[in-house]
Amino acid sequence: MAQPPGKSRRRLRRPSIVGLILLLALWSIILGIGLAQAAEPGQRSATSQLGGDRNLTVAQATPSVPTGTVDVVPQQYQLGQELYLENCATCHIPLPPQVFPTETWRDVLRDTQHYGVQVPLIMDPGRILVWNYLRTFSRPLLPDEEAPALLWQSRYLKALHPKIELPSRIDINSCASCHPGARQFDYRSLTPEWQDAP
């Protein structure tokens, strides 16, 4: 059987759409596995986001240069801290994670009603990074303790100021009266009258 002129014996095959989809899926899986292996040991999966267990410790990472916050923030939590500041410090003084228990921070990240103001939720994966930062540097509640919603209700705030007689009702802006750098997330700097306080 003779072939028409200009046609070769081989038939040119067009790539099928199914083949392209399978190739793309395989590439995505390989890339995902590579990224997961490149992540630092101890990183939790996104499936446990905003959960209650504490698999990550501060000791697992090399500390960064100290900032004005109370604790040195290891490199693996610095992006979470930056996102926290970017999303929260634009409207009010950023609070150190230590002043609220973990459960309060979890509630804040889940609720669009932020103390009477409608706010958009931080979208994942940014929310997961912020959560990992807040969870690592906050403290858990006691077994039968209720999560405080307001700053003046937090026993952690009082524990961070052991020899200071705090007013009965403290709001978020009260911090700047003693910590002049609070708006820049600097809680180490104090006003002159508190420099030599016990």
Side-chain angles (χ1 to χ4, degrees):
M1 197 153 105
Q3 291 214 348
K7 295 271 183 172
S8 67
R9 289 184 179 216
R10 256 200 236 151
R11 190 174 173 187
L12 295 175
R13 296 177 69 177
R14 291 185 186 166
S16 73
I17 191 76
V18 175
L20 289 174
I21 291 173
L22 288 175
L23 185 61
L24 181 61
L26 180 64
W27 178 77
S28 297
I29 291 170
I30 292 170
L31 182 63
I33 291 170
L35 288 173
Q37 290 176 348
E40 292 190 38
Q43 283 284 337
R44 293 172 22 152
S45 69
T47 57
S48 60
Q49 67 180 343
L50 304 179
D53 69 340
R54 296 171 168 258
N55 292 338
L56 301 175
T57 63
V58 175
Q60 290 175 327
T62 306
S64 68
V65 176
T67 61
T69 60
V70 176
D71 291 324
V72 173
V73 178
Q75 188 174 1
Q76 71 187 54
Y77 302 111
Q78 288 177 4
L79 182 56
Q81 181 188 42
E82 288 172 28
L83 290 169
Y84 165 70
L85 294 172
E86 183 180 302
N87 285 279
C88 302
T90 55
C91 297
H92 57 73
I93 292 174
L95 291 174
Q98 298 86 343
V99 301
F100 277 129
T102 308
E103 292 78 4
T104 298
W105 288 117
R106 183 189 59 226
D107 294 344
V108 166
L109 285 176
R110 288 178 173 171
D111 193 4
T112 59
Q113 283 297 321
H114 189 65
Y115 300 99
V117 177
Q118 181 78 21
V119 295
L121 289 176
I122 302 170
M123 300 305 293
D124 290 341
R127 183 170 60 148
I128 296 168
L129 293 168
V130 171
W131 167 244
N132 284 337
Y133 164 68
L134 293 171
R135 183 193 54 190
T136 300
F137 291 97
S138 60
R139 296 161 176 87
L141 287 173
L142 296 174
D144 292 328
E145 188 178 13
E146 190 174 321
L150 300 170
L151 189 58
W152 61 270
Q153 297 170 332
S154 176
R155 71 180 171 89
Y156 297 109
L157 176 72
K158 295 169 187 143
L160 289 168
H161 301 84
K163 297 181 181 180
I164 308 295
E165 192 167 324
L166 297 170
S168 59
R169 300 266 181 168
I170 297 174
D171 70 19
I172 199 166
N173 294 314
S174 301
C175 300
S177 63
C178 299
H179 303 278
R183 292 198 186 284
Q184 291 77 38
F185 206 47
D186 176 3
Y187 284 89
R188 291 185 185 274
S189 301
L190 297 169
T191 55
E193 66 266 17
W194 293 106
Q195 287 293 334
D196 298 320

